[in-house]
Every structure is written in C-alpha cells, then in structure tokens.
C-alpha cells in the first residue's frame, strides 16, 4: 500500500510541477516582445494577402466569398418571398373556388329549371 501512496504522491507532485512549468512558459511567451512582434507581423501579412487576393479576384471579375454570402442571403430571402406568394395564391384559389360554388348555387336557386 505504501508504494501506491508514494506513486500517487509522485504523480501529484509531477503534475503540480508540470502545471507550474507550463504556467511560467505561458507567462514568458505573453511577456515576450519578440512573440508579440511576430504575431503582429503574421496578422499584417495575412491582411495584405487577403487584400491581394481580393484585388486579383476583382481583376479576374470573380466574386469574393463575401459576394457569394450576400448572394446566398438574397436568394434565401427571394425563395422565402416566393413561398409566401405561392401560399397566398393557393389561398386565393381556394377562396375563388368557394365563391364560384356559392355563385353557382345562388344561380340555381334563382333560376330553377323546369323539368318537363
């Protein structure tokens, strides 16, 4: 049993030292101006690459991802409006059918046919 307790204590001690070392490393990275400069440079390069890509796509008359997303939103909106129009046409068709049946019934009542 003693070996099990020692092993668990050793594991806990190793875990605590590892956590402390990772924390110190993370803090050193956060405090590093060189890392900060490298990250800033990477973001700057990324931004320039995005601008160059946009310029190239514009020159080739190709849509950007943003253009496609806007088009997709507009198509969804249009599709929804068409669905609403279809529903309204269906309702109107049913109402017209009911009115026609009602009108035909009224005509039959006002003009009874004489059976001979």
């Amino acid at each position: 049993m003693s070996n099990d307790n020692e092993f668990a204590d050793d594991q806990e001690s190793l875990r605590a030292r590892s956590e402390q070392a990772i924390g110190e490393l993370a803090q050193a990275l956060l405090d590093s101006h060189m890392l900060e400069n490298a990250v800033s440079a990477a973001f700057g390069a990324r931004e320039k690459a995005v601008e160059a890509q946009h310029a190239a796509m514009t020159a080739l008359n190709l849509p950007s991802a943003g253009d496609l997303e806007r088009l997709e939103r507009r198509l969804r909106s249009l599709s929804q409006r068409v669905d609403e129009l279809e529903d309204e046409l269906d309702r109107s068709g049913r109402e017209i059918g009911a009115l026609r049946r009602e009108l035909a019934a009224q005509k039959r009542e006002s003009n009874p046919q004489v059976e001979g």
Side-chain angles (χ1 to χ4, degrees):
M1 251 336 197
S2 172
N3 285 341
D4 289 343
N5 287 340
E6 286 178 23
F7 182 71
D9 289 344
D10 287 345
Q11 276 189 322
E12 190 61 35
S13 174
L14 179 60
R15 182 177 294 126
R17 287 194 315 261
S18 298
E19 288 175 358
Q20 182 179 359
I22 290 171
E24 289 172 1
L25 176 62
Q27 188 61 46
L29 288 173
L30 288 173
D31 292 341
S32 170
H33 292 294
M34 188 166 49
L35 178 64
E36 184 179 335
N37 292 340
V39 169
S40 294
F43 280 120
R46 179 187 178 278
E47 195 61 36
K48 287 181 183 178
V50 168
E51 289 173 9
Q53 179 186 19
H54 183 69
M57 291 180 76
T58 300
L60 294 170
N61 201 24
L62 295 173
S64 68
D67 294 336
L68 293 176
E69 288 172 6
R70 281 189 297 279
L71 179 60
E72 182 181 7
R73 283 193 304 272
R74 290 180 72 185
L75 284 174
R76 281 190 190 136
S77 175
L78 179 61
S79 176
Q80 182 180 5
R81 290 172 67 187
V82 167
D83 288 344
E84 290 169 359
L85 286 171
E86 287 176 341
D87 292 344
E88 187 61 35
L89 281 172
D90 289 343
R91 274 193 297 279
S92 296
R94 286 191 299 271
E95 289 175 7
I96 289 171
L99 289 172
R100 284 183 176 165
R101 286 188 295 276
E102 204 175 298
L103 183 60
Q106 287 176 359
K107 282 184 181 180
R108 282 192 302 269
E109 289 173 6
S110 66
N111 294 326
Q113 292 182 351
V114 178
E115 293 184 19

